[in-house]
């Protein structure tokens, strides 16, 4: 019998177990890919910085007139916006009047790869909402309903500080499941999961070695 060779890294007892590589089903249509973008974290954070130089993070106002605690920006053909008039996708950044910056190729490559691994081949994202959380901010339970084709998944990428993601049902009254998402994790939301309520619990204090006092979340979408 041919014995397998020990990888050098396996000899270090202190090395963390690899969290990468698995596709864990969370619910019908939803899968967690732990650490899927771990190796690309510095490049992803640099790309976010580049986007934010052209389209700065801002706290948008809901139709009800409240400023959201999470700061947002967008890249892609269209970007998600909210103001007193409602929620919609816009071809331009209302703050600058300019087109949103293009999708960084690394966003597209990783999102398409994650979607394919989770069973959604042929995903062609055209929009990315970039959320920036700081300790004490949260995102209330909501559904994503502003895209045209709900057969297309949403790929979410978590960077920086960890968060507790709230995953509810198709109706707001169902008590949500709690899921800890860490830097480098990707979740693909498609099929029936696409219609479920979700949000992010109050972010805890902390400092991430790469992102500092922030959590960033990318949601890659096919909006058009
Ligand atoms: C489940 N963002 O931007 S990403 C959002 O962490 C949003 O910033 C959260 O919800 C964040 O709209 C969660 C995960 C996510 C995104 C879209 C979904 C989960 C979803 C759509 C349907 C079901
Ligand atoms: Fe959402």
């Amino acid at each position: 019998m041919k014995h397998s060779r020990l990888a050098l890294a396996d000899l270090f007892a202190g090395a963390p177990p690899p969290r990468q590589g698995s596709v864990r089903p969370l619910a019908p249509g939803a899968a967690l890919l732990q650490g899927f973008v771990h190796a690309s974290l510095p490049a992803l954070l640099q790309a976010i910085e580049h986007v934010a130089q052209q389209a700065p993070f801002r706290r948008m106002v809901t139709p009800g007139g409240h400023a959201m605690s999470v700061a947002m920006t967008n890249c892609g053909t269209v970007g998600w916006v909210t103001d007193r008039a409602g929620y919609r996708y816009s071809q331009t950044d209302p703050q600058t009047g300019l087109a949103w910056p293009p999708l960084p190729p690394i966003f597209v490559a990783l999102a398409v790869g994650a979607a394919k691994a989770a069973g959604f081949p042929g995903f062609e994202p055209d929009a990315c909402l970039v959320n920036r959380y700081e300790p004490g901010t949260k995102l209330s339970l909501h559904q994503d309903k502003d895209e045209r084709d709900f057969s297309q998944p949403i790929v979410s990428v978590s960077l920086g500080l960890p968060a507790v993601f709230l995953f509810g049902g198709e109706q707001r009254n169902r008590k949500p499941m709690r899921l800890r998402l860490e830097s480098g994790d990707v979740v693909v939301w498609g099929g029936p999961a696409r219609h479920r309520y979700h949000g992010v619990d109050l972010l805890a204090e902390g400092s991430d070695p790469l992102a500092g006092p922030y959590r960033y979340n990318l949601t890659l979408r096919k909006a058009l």
Side-chain angles (χ1 to χ4, degrees):
M1 193 184 81
K2 190 169 172 294
H3 66 81
S4 65
R5 219 180 314 157
L6 271 178
L8 188 57
D10 295 336
L11 298 171
F12 292 97
R19 299 193 328 130
Q20 233 170 114
S22 65
V23 178
R24 279 173 52 190
L26 293 176
L32 170 62
L33 288 73
Q34 271 185 332
F36 189 79
V37 302
H38 182 82
S40 305
L41 286 169
L44 287 166
L45 289 164
Q46 211 163 41
I48 292 172
E49 208 169 289
H50 187 68
V51 166
Q53 281 167 6
Q54 301 161 78
F57 282 102
R58 81 291 307 265
R59 291 174 62 195
M60 296 190 212
V61 174
T62 62
H66 300 282
M68 298 182 73
S69 67
V70 177
M72 299 177 166
T73 186
N74 289 280
C75 47
T77 311
V78 291
W80 185 86
V81 297
T82 175
D83 57 22
R84 289 306 300 239
Y87 308 122
R88 64 195 173 277
Y89 280 94
S90 168
Q91 288 189 311
T92 53
D93 176 350
Q95 195 164 295
T96 62
L98 303 172
W100 297 103
L103 284 176
I106 189 171
F107 286 15
V108 178
L110 292 170
V112 167
K116 187 174 174 193
F120 296 94
F123 180 49
E124 291 184 1
D126 54 20
C128 178
L129 174 62
V130 186
N131 295 337
R132 188 187 70 188
Y133 297 78
E134 32 196 309
T137 65
K138 67 176 173 91
L139 189 63
S140 304
L141 274 189
H142 66 277
Q143 290 173 301
D144 288 25
K145 295 190 295 194
D146 300 317
E147 301 76 26
R148 286 186 186 159
D149 181 358
F150 297 130
S151 77
Q152 292 302 310
I154 291 178
V155 176
S156 87
V157 180
S158 292
L159 312 165
L161 291 176
V164 173
F165 177 75
L166 306 171
F167 188 32
E170 295 207 8
Q171 275 161 356
R172 190 187 286 280
N173 60 15
R174 176 160 143 197
K175 185 182 160 157
M177 297 174 19
R178 299 168 63 83
L179 177 70
R180 183 181 158 95
L181 291 178
E182 295 182 0
S183 195
D185 290 349
V186 173
V187 190
V188 179
W189 312 91
R194 189 69 180 68
H195 300 287
R196 289 172 65 164
Y197 278 88
H198 58 278
V200 177
D201 207 349
L202 269 192
L203 203 78
E205 294 286 341
S207 181
D208 177 82
L210 296 176
Y214 298 114
R215 170 180 188 256
Y216 297 96
N217 181 265
L218 312 175
T219 44
L220 283 120
R221 302 151 184 262
K222 187 178 182 317
L224 301 179

